[in-house]
Amino acid sequence: MTWEFAPVFDASHRAALSAGKPLVYVCPPAGWAARPLFAALTPPPAPGPTVVVVPEAAAASDLACTLGSLTDLGSLHVATGLARTEKLLRTARVGTLLATLPDTLTLVRRSALKPETVGRMVLGWPEQLLALGLGDALDTLFADAPVAHRLVLTADETAIADLLERH
């Protein structure tokens, strides 16, 4: 017998997305599991790119492969090379950026990514980032993007309760 996971994506999720409210979506750490959420996204309430922060580069690539056919996300870019990513961000040719937290913070420090101009911030499976001791970095990133529509993908909502309470 095998178990199959089908994340529930219902009318309350759609209402939160259309109203620009923060949303926590519980799903396993895999691109296919997050697809229902991304498929329901419309352009962000605030102008600017969507930034998807994930625990590791492999997760960014997996998510990009899964989401590549979704047209409402704009041009997808996985930050595997920071120089190229900087160039694309400076020319505003990125609709959705998928990156690790350290790479995202490096892009912010280099002024290639301006958090105050981010339209939507998606935090993918922060429980893994918290386990790596990156909680302060997450707090910094969220604090620097005050107008971004915030979405959190998590496999364990209780593990991130403090993070959710702060932001």
Side-chain angles (χ1 to χ4, degrees):
M1 173 189 259
T2 60
W3 291 90
E4 193 172 310
F5 179 83
V8 175
F9 193 83
D10 58 20
S12 65
H13 291 106
R14 282 186 179 75
L17 289 178
S18 65
K21 293 182 180 177
L23 176 67
V24 176
Y25 185 62
V26 180
C27 66
W32 62 265
R35 193 176 200 294
L37 171 71
F38 283 94
L41 291 181
T42 57
T50 294
V51 175
V52 182
V53 179
V54 292
E56 56 189 28
S61 295
D62 174 45
L63 203 50
C65 287
T66 302
L67 305 178
S69 63
L70 302 177
T71 58
D72 283 343
L73 297 177
S75 58
L76 288 174
H77 178 72
V78 179
T80 54
L82 291 179
R84 182 168 186 264
T85 301
E86 280 184 63
K87 182 179 177 183
L88 289 171
L89 286 169
R90 291 183 198 282
T91 59
R93 293 179 23 202
V94 176
T96 300
L97 174 68
L98 297 104
T100 63
L101 181 59
D103 286 349
T104 302
L105 292 173
T106 298
L107 292 166
V108 169
R109 275 193 305 277
R110 293 179 181 178
S111 298
L113 178 63
K114 295 174 178 43
E116 65 276 4
T117 66
V118 170
R120 180 178 288 125
M121 179 75 63
V122 180
L123 185 54
W125 305 284
E127 60 273 14
Q128 294 177 20
L129 296 168
L130 293 173
L132 295 171
L134 297 173
D136 289 342
L138 283 173
D139 290 341
T140 299
L141 186 61
F142 266 161
D144 288 347
V147 297
H149 179 208
R150 297 169 187 211
L151 306 175
V152 177
L153 305 170
T154 184
D156 184 3
E157 201 171 352
T158 59
I160 61 167
D162 289 342
L163 176 73
L164 295 175
E165 204 171 297
R166 285 193 306 274
H167 301 285

